[in-house]
Amino acid sequence: MTVLQALVLGITQGVTEFLPISSDGHLILIPALFGWDRFGLGFDVVLHAATLLATIAYFRRDVWNLIRAVFSRGEERARDRRLAWFIAAATVPSVIVALALEGSVEKVALLPMTAQVAITAGFLLVTAFCLLGAEWYAQRSSVSVGTAEDVPLLKALAIGFAQGFAVAPGLSRSGTTIAAGVALGIKRDEAARFSFLLSLPIVFAATSKKVLLDVIVGGEALPPLVPLVVGLVTTALVGYAAIALLLPYVRKHSLVAFGIYTAIVGTAILTSTFLF
């Protein structure tokens, strides 16, 4: 892996992990577009660790408040404590669904690149359907939840359930969870905030699993030090910026632009795959 490849993939991961357009999907499409070999599981771990760091850094006050609330009995932290336990509860269906689909996703990774690209394109269309469908439905219902702290348990569980399906390449994690939140009557920016906070436990668990089982025990090779550091730093910085740009954007604008983007990319890839 070269420094340029690490830089491009770091930017790709940082942007697409948080914008609702699928990071896993773009990390398949970008190497295929440039004719690069896949970067390997070791580098994948580095990229996901970097996005985890970006999320924690941006939401550091929220994370600290949630941690303190869990160990507090005072009423002044009741709302934060409620949110912390609801995030923990919503992580359970995420893990169950993700584990149920893990075998199928691993089989996709063994397919020829052309097949992986076609499958990714198909799931990009599913992402588009989720984003556009959520906006269509939200326009026909009233907003009932103002902040992430006010999300009811059943809605939190539903968002967690949606998150589990995002292990499929091309099906955006932030896209499915934000769309689910919007469809359930949560304001877009608070749905995004809940989505990113909800991502912390499962991304931490998945990254830890890959580090322990695949890198340490399995001996999965890591890229050279310089590309590794470039990928890590680039992903973290770009990811932080992506969150900072997305939250105010969705406060004033709908998810339609992201839905149109994923629909165009998915349709273009499938059309070129089957025609050429």
Side-chain angles (χ1 to χ4, degrees):
M1 170 174 284
T2 66
V3 171
L4 177 60
Q5 290 173 323
L7 181 65
V8 171
L9 294 173
I11 293 172
T12 301
Q13 172 70 11
V15 171
T16 59
E17 175 68 21
F18 299 107
L19 302 189
I21 56 176
S22 178
S23 61
D24 288 345
H26 281 78
L27 289 176
I28 290 174
L29 298 179
I30 294 299
L33 178 65
F34 290 110
W36 298 342
D37 293 331
R38 288 299 303 276
F39 46 86
L41 185 59
F43 192 64
D44 176 69
V45 171
V46 171
L47 295 184
H48 282 86
T51 51
L52 179 64
L53 291 174
T55 308
I56 294 173
Y58 189 88
F59 292 103
R60 56 193 179 277
R61 292 182 181 176
D62 287 301
V63 171
W64 178 236
N65 288 337
L66 294 176
I67 292 173
R68 287 198 298 174
V70 169
F71 297 100
S72 169
R73 296 181 181 273
E75 285 301 316
E76 70 277 5
R77 300 198 181 280
R79 295 180 78 245
D80 287 329
R81 185 163 55 250
R82 178 179 180 274
L83 176 59
W85 287 119
F86 279 16
I87 287 173
T91 301
V92 174
S94 294
V95 172
I96 292 173
V97 174
L99 289 176
L101 297 176
E102 186 177 30
S104 299
V105 173
E106 289 176 349
K107 291 178 181 178
V108 171
L110 299 176
L111 295 173
M113 183 56 69
T114 52
Q116 292 187 45
V117 168
I119 291 171
T120 297
F123 279 113
L124 282 174
L125 292 179
V126 176
T127 295
F129 175 81
C130 292
L131 295 170
L132 298 175
E135 284 293 343
W136 178 85
Y137 185 79
Q139 290 176 3
R140 285 155 180 78
S141 61
S142 59
V143 174
S144 59
V145 180
T147 68
E149 286 79 4
D150 299 320
V151 175
L153 178 59
L154 288 179
K155 291 187 178 184
L157 292 173
I159 296 170
F161 182 75
Q163 178 175 250
F165 288 95
V167 293
L171 187 55
S172 169
R173 191 211 62 79
S174 61
T176 55
T177 50
I178 296 173
V182 170
L184 291 169
I186 305 170
K187 292 181 180 178
R188 292 186 198 92
D189 56 329
E190 288 297 321
R193 177 168 165 254
F194 186 84
S195 166
F196 295 142
L197 292 173
L198 179 61
S199 74
L200 292 174
I202 197 165
V203 173
F204 176 79
T207 302
S208 300
K209 172 182 174 291
K210 290 177 181 178
V211 169
L212 292 173
L213 298 183
D214 299 314
V215 177
I216 296 176
V217 176
E220 179 72 28
L222 291 172
L225 180 60
V226 174
L228 185 148
V229 172
V230 169
L232 177 68
V233 174
T234 301
T235 301
L237 292 177
V238 173
Y240 189 98
I243 300 173
L245 292 172
L246 178 66
L247 290 178
Y249 176 86
V250 296
R251 191 175 296 124
K252 298 179 180 179
H253 303 87
S254 74
L255 303 172
V256 169
F258 303 112
I260 292 174
Y261 170 81
T262 49
I264 290 174
V265 173
T267 300
I269 292 171
L270 286 178
T271 301
S272 63
T273 298
F274 289 107
L275 290 183
F276 304 102

